[in-house]
Amino acid sequence: MRFLKTLAIALLCTGAMAAHGQAGAETLKIGTVPGAYSDAVNAAAKEAKDQGIDVKVIEFSDWTTPNVALDAGDIDLNFYQHRPFMENASKQKGYRFDIVGIGILQNIGLFSLKHKSFDQIPVGGKVAIANDPVNQGRGLLLLQKAGLIKLKDGVGFLGTVDDITENPKKLKFTEVEGPQLVRITGDVDLAQGYPHFIVAAGTFDPTSGLIYSGIEDKLFAVSFVSKDSRKDDPTIKKFVQIFQNSEAVKQQIHKSFAGSDKLYLLAWQK
């Protein structure tokens, strides 16, 4: 009887400790897209677990749903967008978001699997660009930098195909969701491309771009975004610190960008 009583007390104490542990656990759901961003967050999640944060990484295949999920409270953070993209989405949808930690600045480019130079692109050639306002604007600026088109003065990265004023090669544009651009690069003469998606797809060399945007503008660094009401959340702050101070994260990012320093920058270090 004494043994049974002791066992019962032990079980009750164990149950109480487990319940307390579950109640006190810090948890985060983070939305990402496949490739470097997902890889990096997963690397940080392993270290976060050792520091008492249970991180669940949720991958999305588009650039719309992660913000819908964040606004609905289905996730706590997302890590896939830069400030201009976030501000444009907030303006259109009424989101109240804020950046809680700066991340990776990648060097986007123009890629071709059919031609080795812009001169070889034929009249009437097909060009694939991102379909969202900000990233489409960045792609068009690259085309202008390459001398293929001219845009209205002052439109900057908010330019669209309607802002093209000169198109001497009569290029035909196909607008595609950003993550899907890598899939159709072989079907067009020229495509806007994101190195981390190219690496993840493994279809061609991400360092083979005919031209790149440059990685000196931190404005386009992909960052951690939360609801404005949670920007001072201590668990979120703790995770961002883990991410930015992790050697494993830095090593994974380098690997996810094909080991090429010219494709990305750790924006929080600059």
Side-chain angles (χ1 to χ4, degrees), residues 126-163:
K126 296 179 180 179
V127 179
I129 57 173
N131 66 355
D132 68 279
V134 173
N135 286 296
Q136 181 171 123
R138 294 185 75 193
L140 292 172
L141 285 173
L142 271 181
L143 288 165
Q144 180 171 258
K145 184 177 179 180
L148 293 174
I149 63 169
K150 283 191 177 180
L151 297 167
K152 290 178 183 176
D153 291 339
V155 295
F157 59 77
L158 293 178
T160 70
V161 291
D162 294 331
D163 294 311

Side-chain angles (χ1 to χ4, degrees), residues 92-190:
Q92 291 184 341
K93 302 294 184 181
Y95 299 141
R96 297 181 65 84
F97 295 160
D98 206 348
I99 287 177
V100 293
I102 197 166
I104 308 165
L105 177 60
Q106 77 164 316
N107 201 1
I108 70 170
L110 295 177
F111 297 83
S112 177
L113 300 184
K114 297 180 179 180
H115 312 291
K116 294 183 178 180
S117 71
F118 294 119
D119 292 338
Q120 294 178 3
I121 296 172
V123 172
K126 296 179 180 179
V127 179
I129 57 173
N131 66 355
D132 68 279
V134 173
N135 286 296
Q136 181 171 123
R138 294 185 75 193
L140 292 172
L141 285 173
L142 271 181
L143 288 165
Q144 180 171 258
K145 184 177 179 180
L148 293 174
I149 63 169
K150 283 191 177 180
L151 297 167
K152 290 178 183 176
D153 291 339
V155 295
F157 59 77
L158 293 178
T160 70
V161 291
D162 294 331
D163 294 311
I164 297 173
T165 57
E166 294 183 29
N167 182 9
K169 288 200 173 188
K170 303 186 187 313
L171 300 174
K172 298 177 181 178
F173 294 91
T174 299
E175 300 176 51
V176 182
E177 185 85 20
Q180 306 307 318
L181 282 164
V182 64
R183 299 180 183 277
I184 69 164
T185 300
D187 300 326
V188 296
D189 293 287
L190 190 66

Side-chain angles (χ1 to χ4, degrees), residues 22-242:
Q22 291 174 355
E26 298 172 303
T27 61
L28 283 178
K29 291 182 180 179
I30 304 177
T32 66
V33 292
Y37 307 138
S38 180
D39 295 344
V41 173
N42 273 302
K46 293 177 182 177
E47 295 188 16
K49 189 171 185 178
D50 293 335
Q51 297 188 40
I53 305 176
D54 183 18
V55 177
K56 183 177 181 181
V57 181
I58 302 169
E59 287 193 354
F60 296 89
S61 60
D62 65 88
W63 285 348
T64 301
T65 314
N67 275 341
V68 174
L70 181 62
D71 186 58
D74 296 329
I75 57 177
D76 304 294
L77 286 173
N78 63 41
F79 185 65
Y80 80 104
Q81 63 187 319
H82 46 63
R83 180 176 291 278
F85 185 95
M86 180 195 75
E87 290 178 345
N88 184 70
S90 296
K91 182 178 180 181
Q92 291 184 341
K93 302 294 184 181
Y95 299 141
R96 297 181 65 84
F97 295 160
D98 206 348
I99 287 177
V100 293
I102 197 166
I104 308 165
L105 177 60
Q106 77 164 316
N107 201 1
I108 70 170
L110 295 177
F111 297 83
S112 177
L113 300 184
K114 297 180 179 180
H115 312 291
K116 294 183 178 180
S117 71
F118 294 119
D119 292 338
Q120 294 178 3
I121 296 172
V123 172
K126 296 179 180 179
V127 179
I129 57 173
N131 66 355
D132 68 279
V134 173
N135 286 296
Q136 181 171 123
R138 294 185 75 193
L140 292 172
L141 285 173
L142 271 181
L143 288 165
Q144 180 171 258
K145 184 177 179 180
L148 293 174
I149 63 169
K150 283 191 177 180
L151 297 167
K152 290 178 183 176
D153 291 339
V155 295
F157 59 77
L158 293 178
T160 70
V161 291
D162 294 331
D163 294 311
I164 297 173
T165 57
E166 294 183 29
N167 182 9
K169 288 200 173 188
K170 303 186 187 313
L171 300 174
K172 298 177 181 178
F173 294 91
T174 299
E175 300 176 51
V176 182
E177 185 85 20
Q180 306 307 318
L181 282 164
V182 64
R183 299 180 183 277
I184 69 164
T185 300
D187 300 326
V188 296
D189 293 287
L190 190 66
Q192 181 177 346
Y194 297 81
H196 76 284
F197 285 134
I198 297 170
V199 173
T203 51
F204 57 92
D205 182 2
T207 67
S208 65
L210 299 181
I211 195 171
Y212 290 93
S213 60
I215 50 178
E216 57 279 333
D217 192 348
K218 288 172 63 174
L219 181 68
F220 294 107
V222 163
S223 301
F224 288 99
V225 174
S226 74
K227 282 188 173 182
D228 182 71
S229 60
R230 295 194 62 190
K231 65 182 179 181
D232 296 319
D233 185 296
T235 303
I236 289 175
K237 284 188 171 183
K238 183 177 179 180
F239 178 79
V240 171
Q241 287 180 343
I242 291 170

